Amino acid sequence: MIPFLDLKTINAQYRQNLIDAATRVIDSGWYIQGTQLKDFESEFAAYCGAKHCIGVANGLDALTLTLRSWKELGKLKDGDEVIVPANTYIASMLAITENRLKPVLVEPDEHTYNLCPTKTATAITANTKAVLAVHLYGQLAPMPALMALADEHGLLVLEDSAQAHGAAINGKKAGSWGHASGFSFYPGKNLGALGDAGAVTTDDDELATTIRALGNYGSHKKYENLYQGVNSRLDEMQAAMLRVKLQHLDTETQQRKEIALAYAKGITHPALSQPIPANSTLTSLENHVFHLYVTRTAEREALQTHLANTGVQTLIHYPISPHQQQAYAQWNEQSYPLTEAMHQQVLSLPISPVMTDHQVDAVIAACNSFEMP
Ligand SMILES: *Cc1c(COP(=O)(O)O)cnc(C)c1O
């Protein structure tokens, strides 16, 4: 079976470096808020081109604590509207509703799966205060246009960069476009820890200080509490693992892109639409880091079964739209036809950076040999 994501083989490449880094942490006697975190934060801020990086416990907390900080700083209040793509992963929604803000679901662009500036502009009301720009599947949302729109209307922009470490437009990376950006380092993300971890990047000094305090019991100074905070910290062990893996992120991204290019060129089945044109090149893919390679077909179930029978593991991102989840029963009657169609048709192909050429060819052949039911 060609696995969807072969994390074991990915991490085995760095086995000795990870063990050495873990040993240093064990021997240091210091496990929370130490030098590994400090160094990872500077290295990741520099990687993204942001002034600050604040390590937190996971990607959901990165988004939740940023919105909460804007509330503490008086920039957002209960009930303010936050524009978010209707087809996003549930975590984007949870960060908004946890803060008693109002998500305004907007249908994405049909081809990029990301917010489009035109539909976003139409959704802006007098109560709109922020945009949660999700870089879904690893492709940067159209940030130049979204930032111009936000400037025009005085909106805050939070990037959800959980799937897009290193994606860029004109050399400017995810994490440096919005007023803040949330990252996840869940093991399966492009930059993955060996456990849960996340971070916020921002150029805003005041926001950085507030997030840091909120994630540490609301304390900006030992035993002095400014806010009713939470415990959301990136520990030394995960920071040490991430420092090892950050050194290889660009190489792995390059490998993901090469697999994506091979798929786009090789998969010619007419019933299967590809996320990028067949004649794409490495330079035309600057804005996409292929966290996922998502194809679309009206015959998803049959294709998934065929691929499984041929030894290719696939996954669905995501099978149920957020507005159709039981958790958001109040939205269940709403209709987002484009989003619903996407969630009925998308199928993600294997994209491990360690895939061999032989495995890539086998996935292509398996797709092309699909017989429509
Ligand atoms: C993974 C993910 C998150 C949440 O990250 P966790 O570290 O799992 O909490 C948020 N948004 C998107 C788009 C994600 O893919």
Side-chain angles (χ1 to χ4, degrees):
M1 184 66 113
I2 298 173
F4 177 75
L5 181 67
D6 190 354
L7 267 183
K8 190 173 158 174
T9 306
I10 293 170
N11 286 330
Q13 301 174 100
Y14 321 124
R15 190 169 187 278
Q16 197 53 53
N17 288 341
L18 291 169
I19 290 171
D20 292 347
T23 305
R24 279 195 292 277
V25 174
I26 293 165
D27 292 348
S28 75
W30 195 277
Y31 308 112
I32 298 277
Q33 310 277 59
T35 55
Q36 293 297 327
L37 176 65
K38 225 183 177 64
D39 288 347
F40 173 70
E41 287 177 339
S42 332
E43 288 159 12
F44 194 66
Y47 179 83
C48 294
K51 186 168 172 195
H52 303 281
C53 168
I54 307 101
V56 295
N58 54 64
L60 174 57
D61 281 3
L63 301 172
T64 307
L65 290 175
T66 303
L67 293 171
R68 168 124 187 239
S69 293
W70 279 331
K71 289 184 82 182
E72 298 289 354
L73 293 169
K75 296 187 173 178
L76 291 176
K77 59 176 191 318
D78 283 9
D80 281 349
E81 292 178 3
V82 181
I83 289 174
V84 60
N87 62 321
T88 188
Y89 180 56
I90 196 78
S92 320
M93 301 293 176
L94 294 173
I96 299 171
T97 54
E98 165 71 19
N99 278 294
R100 297 181 305 279
L101 299 163
K102 184 173 180 244
V104 173
L105 279 55
V106 173
E107 291 263 50
D109 176 86
E110 173 140 31
H111 302 289
T112 64
Y113 302 98
N114 281 330
L115 280 179
C116 92
T118 321
K119 292 182 200 173
T120 303
T122 313
I124 295 173
T125 73
N127 297 323
T128 308
K129 292 287 149 28
V131 177
L132 183 44
V134 184
H135 309 313
L136 203 67
Y137 305 151
Q139 183 168 22
L140 212 65
M143 293 312 292
L146 289 177
M147 291 312 294
L149 187 67
D151 282 349
E152 188 187 325
H153 295 271
L155 310 177
L156 294 163
V157 176
L158 173 56
E159 296 172 69
D160 182 340
S161 302
Q163 305 188 352
H165 320 72
I169 294 176
N170 296 329
K172 192 172 162 59
K173 287 188 183 132
S176 73
W177 283 94
H179 301 104
S181 177
F183 285 89
S184 166
F185 309 118
Y186 177 82
K189 298 293 159 84
N190 286 29
L191 177 59
L194 273 65
D196 272 315
V200 179
T201 58
T202 182
D203 287 346
D204 182 335
D205 300 345
E206 194 183 33
L207 180 68
T209 309
T210 308
I211 292 170
R212 224 176 257 295
L214 276 176
N216 193 32
Y217 313 121
S219 172
H220 61 302
K221 208 167 144 192
K222 203 162 191 187
Y223 303 127
E224 285 184 33
N225 295 73
L226 215 46
Y227 312 104
Q228 295 173 22
V230 298
N231 178 347
S232 181
R233 299 181 296 221
L234 201 176
D235 62 70
E236 288 289 285
M237 190 61 87
Q238 294 310 332
M241 301 297 101
L242 286 166
R243 290 185 67 205
V244 171
K245 295 201 61 188
L246 179 57
Q247 293 173 15
H248 304 281
L249 176 59
D250 286 344
T251 308
E252 287 193 9
T253 299
Q254 180 85 4
Q255 288 159 339
R256 286 174 183 270
K257 288 184 186 192
E258 279 161 12
I259 296 164
L261 285 173
Y263 285 164
K265 200 169 292 172
I267 301 171
T268 52
H269 198 297
L272 244 155
S273 58
Q274 307 304 314
I276 49 167
N279 64 356
S280 301
T281 61
L282 279 175
T283 24
S284 75
L285 294 182
E286 186 197 18
N287 70 340
H288 206 325
V289 293
F290 295 94
H291 173 59
L292 299 170
Y293 187 92
V294 179
T295 60
R296 262 175 92 173
T297 173
E299 299 293 343
R300 178 173 69 190
E301 209 188 318
L303 176 64
Q304 190 169 35
T305 306
H306 164 78
L307 291 175
N309 292 339
T310 328
V312 176
Q313 186 192 11
T314 56
L315 293 177
I316 296 169
H317 299 91
Y318 299 92
I320 305 174
S321 307
H323 71 278
Q324 295 180 322
Q325 296 284 355
Q326 226 177 322
Y328 289 118
Q330 69 272 30
W331 303 339
N332 288 177
E333 298 307 312
Q334 295 180 22
S335 154
Y336 299 93
L338 199 53
T339 293
E340 288 158 28
M342 285 171 177
H343 288 141
Q344 279 156 20
Q345 297 175 348
V346 290
L347 188 69
S348 309
L349 301 181
I351 189 98
S352 300
V354 292
M355 279 174 85
T356 62
D357 291 349
H358 180 75
Q359 287 178 318
V360 172
D361 290 342
V363 173
I364 294 169
C367 288
N368 288 338
S369 69
F370 173 54
E371 284 174 29
M372 300 282 283

